């Protein structure tokens, strides 16, 4: 009986060997597939716009089929649609009022993402993807077009996070909803910078007509709609028609050079950081960089700018030839990126003057490089200032002081080592707030965007309700016309007002 169970025949051993080899081969294939670099995992973080876009279009986009019914209006509906939506919204809000002690300051914010026609979304992303390697186009001031699109690509990063599968998302500040009556805000995905630079015929008017046909737009007159308009040249043709909406901007430019009076404000809109042009100086880089930071003050860029950027030429003339100061003319191409990155990582302070607009990507390049920004831009509004304290990470001076002979360098040299170290420690903590990534990270710029937008919700509800009941022709809504731009210039009335 024992021999019957212990079969040691050659045929049996051959079958056992084949089975063992088969299992080994299968295991090897699984291992190779698992560690293949072509396979992406949710725990991998990508911060390059080009690399993230490639992964998104080729691997993720084909799988983006929502199991939920999307009630975006794709055909014209009758005038009862906004009233029906209003009824459903009122029912939801009344229930929350009685059940949720935190209402109406809800968290996370609930965002409805419009299911836009492909010509406004995927087609524009593919257009950039298929042309950026070959293009040598430059703007009138010499800036490479594809670099401008990258540094204003906030529209891509926000949208890519919102439409990702919930299992891949890490943010707790925002959740996507699929029914309009459940939404606090409505996100309009449109890549305005790509459209502006790469299309001969702009799509802004057709987009405007499409969005304003939606019941949610008609209900609130656009107050709870979010438009990413991050390049100051983009979306100009229809701005006056969507001025009630929340605009995601690089700055507010209260000088009137880029936005007309009444179009933008801190109360309505939100300033978002540029996408940095340089690589982040990580913890290892920061720990190794102190001995290398032998330059006191560094600037590389264009010295001839318009509007508030004329300060650059004055600063260049004042600082040229000063010991331990490097001021050089340069562009934003690949060679310029490496030169700027190297210069910033070798400097204690980085000069961040105004450009054609009050803001510049250079500020965020400096922050992620561990180089203390020296901000010289009197009309600048800063991203997420309701959350972040820039006095902890930057030296902020007025233009009038900065151009005084010897003043700026003497001011920087007067900072004692412990103050410089405190700035550097804060920079190490703050840099994460300016790195866009996929998947979007907690406390990254995408996260802080929704935290800031959440603070606008009550005011939007107030003005939406008021607009629905106010008598036509009655006294117009009270406005804060006394709002003044943030300015670092001294105010002669300050002693009288204090």
């Amino acid at each position: 009986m024992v021999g019957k169970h212990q079969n040691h025949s050659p045929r049996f051993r051959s079958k056992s060997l084949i089975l063992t080899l088969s299992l080994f081969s299968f295991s090897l294939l699984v291992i190779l597939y698992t560690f293949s670099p072509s396979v992406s995992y949710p725990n991998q973080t990508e911060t390059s716009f080009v690399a993230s876009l490639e992964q998104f279009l080729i691997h993720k986009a084909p799988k983006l089929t929502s199991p939920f019914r999307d009630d975006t209006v794709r055909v014209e509906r009758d005038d009862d649609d906004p009233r029906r939506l209003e009824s459903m919204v009122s029912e939801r809000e009344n229930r929350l009022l009685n059940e949720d002690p935190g209402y109406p300051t809800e968290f996370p914010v609930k965002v409805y993402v419009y299911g836009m026609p492909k010509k406004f979304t995927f087609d524009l992303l593919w257009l950039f993807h298929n042309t950026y390697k070959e293009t040598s186009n430059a703007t009138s001031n010499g800036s490479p077009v594809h670099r401008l699109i990258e540094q204003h690509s906030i529209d891509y990063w926000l949208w890519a996070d919102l439409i990702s599968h919930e299992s891949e998302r890490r943010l707790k500040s925002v959740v996507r909803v699929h029914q309009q009556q459940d939404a606090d805000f409505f996100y309009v995905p449109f890549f305005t910078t790509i459209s502006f630079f790469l299309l001969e015929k702009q799509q802004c008017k057709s987009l405007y007509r499409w969005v304003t046909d939606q019941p949610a737009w008609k209900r609130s007159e656009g107050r709870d709609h979010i438009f990413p308009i991050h390049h100051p040249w983009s979306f100009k043709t229809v701005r006056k028609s969507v001025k009630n909406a929340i605009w995601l901007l690089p700055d507010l430019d209260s000088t009137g050079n880029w936005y007309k009076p009444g179009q933008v404000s801190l109360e309505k809109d939100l300033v978002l950081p540029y996408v940095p042009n340089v690589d982040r100086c990580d913890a290892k880089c920061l720990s190794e960089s102190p001995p290398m930071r032998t330059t006191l003050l560094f600037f590389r860029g264009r010295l001839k700018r318009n509007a508030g950027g004329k300060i650059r030429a004055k600063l260049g003339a004042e600082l040229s030839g000063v010991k331990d100061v490097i001021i050089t003319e340069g562009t934003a191409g690949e060679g310029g990126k490496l030169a700027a990155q190297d210069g910033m990582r070798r400097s204690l302070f980085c000069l961040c003057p105004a450009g054609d607009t009050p803001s510049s990507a250079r500020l965020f390049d400096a922050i992620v490089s561990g180089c203390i920004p020296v901000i010289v831009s009197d009309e600048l509004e800063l991203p997420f200032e309701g959350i972040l304290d820039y006095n902890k990470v930057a030296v902020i001076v007025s233009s009038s002081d900065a151009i005084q002979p010897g003043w700026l360098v003497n001011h920087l040299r007067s900072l004692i080592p412990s103050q410089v170290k405190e700035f550097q420690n804060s920079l190490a903590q703050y840099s994460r707030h300016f790195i866009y990534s996929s998947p979007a990270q907690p406390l990254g710029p995408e996260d802080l965007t929704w935290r800031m937008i959440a603070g606008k919700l009550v005011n939007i509800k107030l003005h939406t309700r008021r607009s629905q009941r106010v008598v036509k022709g009655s006294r117009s809504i009270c406005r804060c016309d006394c709002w003044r731009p943030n300015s670092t210039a001294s105010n002669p009335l300050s002693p009288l007002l204090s």
Side-chain angles (χ1 to χ4, degrees):
M1 293 294 291
V2 174
K4 197 172 182 178
H5 289 283
Q6 295 180 350
N7 191 336
H8 297 290
S9 68
R11 185 177 177 182
F12 179 86
R13 286 196 297 271
S14 177
K15 287 182 178 180
S16 299
L17 181 60
I18 291 173
L19 180 60
T20 302
L21 289 173
S22 298
L23 288 172
F24 175 80
S25 300
F26 178 78
S27 301
L28 184 61
L29 286 172
V30 169
I31 292 170
L32 290 173
Y33 179 81
T34 301
F35 292 98
S36 170
S38 63
V39 179
S40 60
Y41 288 91
N43 62 347
Q44 293 178 338
T45 302
E46 182 57 71
T47 59
S48 162
F49 169 63
V50 171
S52 176
L53 179 61
E54 171 110 0
Q55 188 179 71
F56 174 82
L57 289 174
I58 295 174
H59 299 291
K60 184 179 288 187
K63 303 175 184 177
L64 288 174
T65 54
S66 174
F68 303 96
R69 183 180 68 85
D70 185 308
D71 59 358
T72 299
V73 177
R74 291 175 176 80
V75 294
E76 188 174 350
R77 292 186 183 177
D78 59 48
D79 293 336
D80 285 336
D81 288 336
R83 285 191 285 269
R84 281 197 292 268
L85 178 60
E86 174 60 31
S87 176
M88 290 187 287
V89 170
S90 294
E91 183 180 342
R92 169 181 172 262
E93 291 183 343
N94 186 60
R95 175 174 51 79
L96 289 172
L97 179 63
N98 288 283
E99 297 176 1
D100 185 352
Y103 180 80
T105 55
E106 294 184 77
F107 201 78
V109 294
K110 298 173 179 62
V111 177
Y112 180 90
V113 182
Y114 278 119
M116 307 288 284
K118 287 177 59 179
K119 66 179 181 178
F120 297 128
T121 54
F122 290 102
D123 289 354
L124 288 177
L125 292 176
W126 275 113
L127 177 63
F128 175 83
H129 175 270
N130 293 337
T131 59
Y132 83 92
K133 292 180 180 178
E134 290 75 29
T135 184
S136 58
N137 295 346
T139 63
S140 57
N141 59 25
S143 300
V145 164
H146 72 281
R147 295 291 298 167
L148 282 175
I149 291 173
E150 289 184 52
Q151 72 182 29
H152 291 284
S153 60
I154 64 103
D155 40 21
Y156 163 75
W157 294 106
L158 289 171
W159 183 60
D161 173 65
L162 283 172
I163 66 173
S164 292
H165 193 278
E166 278 303 314
S167 64
E168 299 176 1
R169 299 187 65 252
R170 299 182 180 179
L171 301 190
K172 304 300 182 185
S173 54
V174 59
V175 62
R176 181 185 180 186
V177 295
H178 298 270
Q179 305 300 320
Q180 294 191 6
Q181 67 266 22
D182 296 330
D184 299 318
F185 297 97
F186 296 80
Y187 186 80
V188 183
F190 180 55
F191 302 99
T192 52
T193 310
I194 296 177
S195 174
F196 179 82
F197 282 113
L198 299 186
L199 291 182
E200 292 184 9
K201 184 178 180 181
Q202 297 298 294
Q203 297 178 334
C204 299
K205 289 186 177 179
S206 59
L207 172 78
Y208 157 70
R209 288 191 293 268
W210 190 93
V211 171
T212 54
D213 268 345
Q214 301 298 318
W217 178 276
K218 294 176 181 178
R219 173 186 173 270
S220 70
E221 297 178 337
R223 291 180 177 86
D224 49 8
H225 282 56
I226 301 169
F227 283 84
I229 311 176
H230 202 259
H231 193 282
W233 294 347
S234 64
F235 224 61
K236 278 192 172 183
T237 56
V238 296
R239 284 180 180 177
K240 64 181 181 181
S241 302
V242 297
K243 65 179 183 180
N244 284 343
I246 300 168
W247 295 4
L248 306 182
L249 302 164
D251 56 48
L252 297 184
D253 183 34
S254 54
T255 60
N257 291 306
W258 299 101
Y259 309 108
K260 296 186 182 300
Q263 281 188 342
V264 297
S265 71
L266 277 174
E267 289 73 21
K268 178 179 76 72
D269 305 307
L270 189 64
V271 176
L272 264 62
Y274 291 70
V275 176
N277 290 314
V278 300
D279 298 329
R280 182 186 185 188
C281 186
D282 58 18
K284 182 175 183 295
C285 166
L286 290 172
S287 66
E288 295 173 349
S289 65
M292 300 169 57
R293 295 187 185 271
T294 55
T295 299
L296 176 68
L297 181 63
F298 175 81
F299 173 87
R300 188 181 192 282
R302 295 190 176 277
L303 293 171
K304 187 177 180 181
R305 283 302 199 206
N306 299 315
K310 292 177 180 178
I311 189 70
R312 291 191 182 189
K314 296 178 181 179
L315 288 169
E318 163 61 24
L319 296 169
S320 180
V322 175
K323 183 183 178 183
D324 298 329
V325 174
I326 296 177
I327 306 290
T328 60
E329 187 85 21
T331 62
E334 193 61 31
K337 168 189 172 178
L338 294 175
Q341 179 170 292
D342 182 66
M344 287 183 168
R345 292 186 180 189
R346 293 177 179 273
S347 305
L348 283 176
F349 298 93
C350 285
L351 185 63
C352 300
D356 290 339
T357 62
S359 65
S360 166
R362 183 171 292 98
L363 168 61
F364 310 106
D365 291 349
I367 290 174
V368 303
S369 297
C371 185
I372 303 167
V374 180
I375 299 175
V376 187
S377 181
D378 295 347
E379 305 295 336
L380 180 63
E381 297 294 347
L382 293 162
F384 316 134
E385 202 164 10
I387 299 174
L388 306 179
D389 182 1
Y390 284 85
N391 288 306
K392 294 182 179 295
V393 295
V395 177
I396 305 172
V397 299
S398 69
S399 298
S400 58
D401 285 338
I403 60 176
Q404 295 301 315
W407 186 90
L408 184 57
V409 170
N410 290 336
H411 178 65
L412 298 179
R413 291 192 191 281
S414 71
L415 297 174
I416 60 177
S418 62
Q419 290 176 297
V420 173
K421 184 65 176 176
E422 190 173 344
F423 276 123
Q424 292 174 329
N425 290 340
S426 296
L427 282 174
Q429 296 175 1
Y430 270 46
S431 65
R432 66 187 295 185
H433 304 316
F434 305 100
I435 300 294
Y436 295 87
S437 63
S438 179
Q441 301 295 303
L443 296 180
E446 301 94 334
D447 190 22
L448 297 193
T449 294
W450 297 113
R451 294 182 186 219
M452 289 290 292
I453 286 178
K456 300 180 183 293
L457 183 58
V458 175
N459 203 43
I460 288 172
K461 289 181 181 293
L462 183 156
H463 289 294
T464 298
R465 293 293 189 206
R466 187 179 187 280
S467 69
Q468 292 168 347
R469 61 88 182 164
V470 72
V471 177
K472 288 186 177 181
S474 64
R475 182 171 58 89
S476 62
I477 191 168
C478 298
R479 302 179 63 87
C480 185
D481 293 327
C482 59
W483 178 80
R484 295 172 299 177
N486 178 30
S487 175
T488 51
S490 58
N491 183 354
L493 297 179
S494 294
L496 299 177
L497 298 173
S498 60

